[in-house]
Amino acid sequence: MTPSDLAPRRLARDLMVRPLGVGSGTSRWAPSAVQPDDARLLDGLRRALEAGAGEDQAQLFDTADNHRHGHAERLIGKVLKEHRGHKAQVASKVGRVQGSAPHPYAGPRVRHQLEQTLENLYLDELALYTLESYDFGLGDRYLDPVIEQMRALRDLGQIRAIGLRGPRFRSSVRSIRRFLDLFDRICPDVVWTQASGLLPLADLGEGEDLGAFTARRGVGLVIASPLAHGALASGRTDRALAAWGGSAADCVEVMESALTHGLAELAGRFGPSPDALARVALRFVLQQVQNAVVVVGVGDEQRVGHDLRFLGQPLSDHELAMVDDVFSRIRSVMIQPEGRAPSVGVKV
C-alpha cells in the first residue's frame, strides 16, 4: 500500500501527477559528455513507464529540446508510441536551441519549436513547457512576444502549464534577482530547478528558499537531479564533485573525504545498497517540499525504481534531522569563503 504522503501532487491547474517523475537526465547531455547509450536509455524509459502502468496516477516525463537537439525527446517519443494508452504527461523546455533564427526566442521560434517537440514525442499537447533561458535578446526585446506566445499556446490547449527555470543553490545574487523579475512578468504555473540534499534549493533572501517561495505564490515545483547526478545512489563522489565544479586540486581530496564519510554514515543507518541510499535522498526532498515533484533520470549505473513503492514509508522526524545533519556537515566542508581551502579538521 502506497503511503498517503505520496498521493498525486498539483503542479498547475488541472495538472496532477505522481510525486516521483522520470527524467531524461541533465549532465549526460552536456556537449562534453560521452554520447549516451540509446539502448540503455530506452530500456530505462520502458521500465519507468511500465512501473507506473498499474497506478491510477499520471507520470511526469521531463526532458528538453536541447538534449542533443531533440534526441532525448525522440527517445521518449519512441517509448510512448510503443505504449498506447499510457498515462504519461511530458514536460519539455525551450530557449536554448537557436536553429536558423537570429535568437532562440525570436519571432515565432517558440511555437515552431513546440511543433517539433510534439512531433518528436508523438503527442498533441505538452503538460509543461518551460522557458529555460533568461536571455530574451537585447533589452528583453523578445520577452513580451514570448509571453504572449506561451499564453496563447496554453489557451489553445497545446501546453497545459507555463514553466520558468528557477535559480540553483549556487546561483548569483544577480541571477536570483533576474528570476524574481521574470517570475513577476511571466507569471509561470510551474518553476523547474535542480536540487538535492547536497545542493539544496536556492535561498531567495529573507530566509525564504525556492520551495517556500513557490508554495507561497501557489505554483508547482519540479526538482531535477535529486540524487546529485547519481552520487546519492551509486556512491560515486566524482559525480557530486563535478556538480560543484571548478574546485582547486588541493581541495578535492578533502571534499571527497567529506562526501565519502557522509555517505558511509547514511549507509550505516539506512543500508549500503544504492536503492537504500536513493530512497533516503528522494524522501528527504519530497517530505520537505510538499509542492514539489522530483524527477529521476534513467539509464545510470544505479537502477533506481520509479515505482512509488520503492520509496517505502516516510522518514521519521528523527531520521530527517539525522539526514539533514549529515548533508549540512558535508556542505560545511564543500562551501568555504572565497580563497579559503576546506579544513581537514571539520568533522564528517
Side-chain angles (χ1 to χ4, degrees):
M1 183 176 179
T2 302
S4 59
D5 71 316
L6 298 181
R9 296 189 174 184
R10 185 183 302 279
L11 274 184
R13 185 166 60 93
D14 299 325
L15 181 56
M16 299 284 290
V17 295
R18 67 207 298 261
L20 180 61
V22 184
S24 61
T26 51
S27 59
R28 70 165 58 90
W29 305 101
S32 59
V34 176
Q35 176 70 39
D37 184 337
D38 284 1
R40 195 173 192 174
L41 289 174
L42 286 169
D43 179 59
L45 289 168
R46 290 185 183 107
R47 285 188 287 106
L49 187 63
E50 290 163 1
E55 299 173 4
D56 190 24
Q57 299 186 30
Q59 288 178 292
L60 182 71
F61 279 69
D62 180 59
T63 187
D65 66 356
N66 69 322
H67 289 175
R68 302 284 171 143
H69 293 272
H71 186 61
E73 291 180 340
R74 288 187 287 274
L75 291 178
I76 292 176
K78 177 179 175 63
V79 173
L80 296 181
K81 187 179 180 182
E82 294 171 354
H83 294 75
R84 295 297 188 185
H86 62 78
K87 298 176 182 177
Q89 296 286 342
V90 183
S92 194
K93 305 173 188 68
V94 66
R96 301 286 191 192
V97 177
Q98 181 171 333
S100 59
H103 188 277
Y105 288 136
R109 180 75 187 131
V110 170
R111 176 170 56 81
H112 290 168
Q113 189 57 44
L114 174 63
E115 291 171 354
Q116 183 61 64
T117 287
L118 291 174
E119 182 178 326
N120 291 342
L121 294 165
Y122 295 95
L123 294 174
D124 296 322
E125 69 165 16
L126 274 186
L128 172 64
Y129 206 28
T130 295
L131 297 170
E132 190 170 18
S133 170
Y134 294 173
D135 176 8
F136 290 89
L138 184 63
D140 280 344
R141 62 181 296 187
Y142 301 119
L143 179 55
D144 286 337
V146 163
I147 293 174
E148 290 180 9
Q149 285 186 71
M150 294 290 280
R151 291 177 181 172
L153 293 171
R154 185 178 58 188
D155 291 343
L156 291 169
Q158 291 185 282
I159 65 175
R160 299 179 68 180
I162 297 171
L164 176 65
R165 179 176 61 84
R168 299 173 63 179
F169 177 66
R170 305 191 78 185
S171 292
S172 66
V173 172
R174 180 180 178 183
S175 179
I176 290 173
R177 287 175 178 167
R178 175 64 166 165
F179 162 75
L180 292 173
D181 176 62
L182 289 174
F183 184 94
D184 287 338
R185 296 182 67 178
I186 296 169
C187 299
D189 305 296
V190 180
V191 171
W192 183 98
T193 191
Q194 295 183 42
S196 67
L198 295 180
L199 292 171
L201 292 168
D203 183 351
L204 303 188
E206 299 183 358
E208 186 173 59
D209 68 12
L210 187 60
F213 172 82
T214 52
R216 177 170 62 84
R217 299 298 292 266
V219 303
L221 183 62
V222 174
I223 298 177
S225 303
L227 299 179
H229 303 296
L232 297 181
S234 66
R236 288 278 301 277
T237 56
D238 57 316
R239 293 185 173 184
L241 290 173
W244 289 80
S247 298
D250 58 350
C251 297
V252 170
E253 184 176 350
V254 174
M255 294 168 71
E256 185 171 12
S257 176
L259 277 165
T260 300
H261 283 79
L263 293 178
E265 187 172 345
L266 292 178
R269 172 62 181 81
F270 298 101
S273 72
D275 279 359
L277 291 174
R279 186 188 77 83
V280 170
L282 293 175
R283 271 212 160 274
F284 180 75
V285 175
L286 282 170
Q287 288 182 223
Q288 297 195 88
V289 193
Q290 297 293 322
N291 64 318
V293 170
V294 300
V295 291
V296 182
V298 298
D300 295 316
E301 281 110 344
Q302 76 277 3
R303 298 177 65 86
V304 175
H306 287 88
D307 188 319
L308 288 178
R309 290 173 296 183
F310 164 79
L311 294 173
Q313 294 300 310
L315 299 175
S316 67
D317 290 343
H318 176 73
E319 289 172 330
L320 283 172
M322 178 265 184
V323 175
D324 185 49
D325 179 63
V326 171
F327 286 145
S328 295
R329 283 189 272 122
I330 293 173
R331 290 196 301 272
S332 73
V333 175
M334 300 182 78
I335 305 174
Q336 297 292 326
E338 189 173 354
R340 175 182 163 192
S343 170
V344 295
V346 174
K347 176 187 175 184
V348 296

